[in-house]
Amino acid sequence: MKRIQQIIYLSLFFLITFAVSGQVERILPLDEETSAFLPEVNFYLFHQQKIVFVGFSSEKEPITLPQISFDSIVFSKFNFEPKGYSRDSLTDVIYLKKKIYELDEVVVGSLPGKITLGEHNRILPHSRGMYLQKQLFFGIVLTNDQAFDLALEAVQWHVKKVVHPTKYRVLFYKVVVNKDIVQRTNIHPLYAIPVYISPVQTLDSKQKNKINTPIDYTLTPGEEILVSIELVDYFDGNQTVIYPPLEEQTLVKFQCSDENNFYTKYRDAITQKETEELFNANVWINYDFAFYFYKKPSKSLIRTPAVNLIGRKL
């Protein structure tokens, strides 16, 4: 009889535990701009406009809501705007927006009297880099945040290796960014319209590291463009078009990034088919790390092609 009672008690225990655990709600808090995981988020549960619970998420776990009655919730975090939801509108993923601080205008250029768009972060010499393609395969989105026209004079970029003479050109595209699925933010080539194509330039096998490509384009205030460096052809010493193996093709170096403006197509490792869209690589990485590991990826994983625009005020 004792044995039967123990089994009944254990069965009831597991049933109750299952019922309670089935009701536990876990909320994944993300940065609205980057889709990166946000640790240590405050949350406040309300019932009939009165606070009934105050909680705080840990460093490497999503928010777990207690099993109490509530009709609304507010999330808050230092340097982020608070955000509230009704109980019925609450979803498994919530996005918080960074507060905007008004700062004095600071224009920093890598050359005297020049203005630079893009980042100057640590170059990753041992990363694979990006191979130049004869199509829109990758690029970075840059914006003129100044209140004046910016006369662009050069694209400064870093090349990993040049084995064969390489003809290329720089293209600027006006794009439409699709954020319908935030964690898979993308640009479709059908909605990428070229607004500038540079003259064809040539890299020779003696060139390495920093490359300066002359351009002539005026970027208006607030204008956003996708900057892409695209392959024309490879040549041998007799100026005959050649098709070198992958390991001998020209690579653009990566650098560490604090932004989320790097878009690229992906190739399936098995089928070798590439996606139609160019996906925001760093938003994708941030979200997957948040969703699967509840943390931010290491800084070396958030990268972008080492490309800058150099210009002057008009």
Side-chain angles (χ1 to χ4, degrees), residues 152-280:
L152 299 178
E153 301 172 343
V155 175
Q156 189 178 88
W157 55 293
H158 290 74
V159 64
K160 191 173 179 71
K161 66 175 182 179
V162 180
V163 178
H164 303 282
T166 307
K167 290 189 182 295
Y168 71 95
R169 58 188 182 180
V170 176
L171 284 84
F172 296 165
Y173 292 90
K174 182 179 180 181
V175 295
V176 175
V177 177
N178 179 8
K179 294 185 179 180
D180 288 346
I181 303 175
V182 177
Q183 61 270 28
R184 296 295 181 256
T185 299
N186 65 79
I187 293 170
H188 199 291
L190 288 178
Y191 301 100
I193 310 300
V195 292
Y196 174 77
I197 303 174
S198 77
V200 174
Q201 304 289 315
T202 302
L203 295 172
D204 62 48
S205 56
K206 295 179 182 179
Q207 290 180 279
K208 60 181 180 179
N209 298 325
K210 190 182 294 184
I211 306 296
N212 284 291
T213 303
I215 57 172
D216 182 13
Y217 185 78
T218 300
L219 202 59
T220 58
E223 184 178 355
E224 179 182 80
I225 54 172
L226 178 72
V227 182
S228 178
I229 301 170
E230 299 176 28
L231 175 68
V232 174
D233 269 312
Y234 293 103
F235 292 83
D236 62 15
N238 298 318
Q239 291 299 301
T240 301
V241 174
I242 60 173
Y243 304 92
L246 193 63
E247 63 270 15
E248 295 180 5
Q249 295 180 17
T250 302
L251 285 158
V252 180
K253 284 184 178 180
F254 276 124
Q255 66 176 330
C256 291
S257 178
D258 297 320
E259 304 292 339
N260 289 275
N261 57 5
F262 169 36
Y263 288 79
T264 181
K265 292 186 177 184
Y266 286 93
R267 281 200 176 97
D268 187 283
I270 298 174
T271 66
Q272 288 300 305
K273 290 184 178 179
E274 63 186 43
T275 58
E276 287 187 29
E277 300 88 354
L278 285 75
F279 289 92
N280 189 312

Side-chain angles (χ1 to χ4, degrees), residues 67-78:
Q67 294 303 296
I68 62 174
S69 179
F70 70 97
D71 51 34
S72 60
I73 184 170
V74 172
F75 300 94
S76 69
K77 181 176 171 63
F78 179 69

Side-chain angles (χ1 to χ4, degrees), residues 127-152:
S127 67
R128 186 177 178 182
M130 294 289 290
Y131 291 103
L132 296 182
Q133 304 281 330
K134 285 189 173 184
Q135 58 170 313
L136 177 55
F137 191 87
F138 70 91
I140 62 173
V141 173
L142 294 174
T143 306
N144 179 11
D145 290 326
Q146 309 299 329
F148 48 78
D149 288 347
L150 190 58
L152 299 178

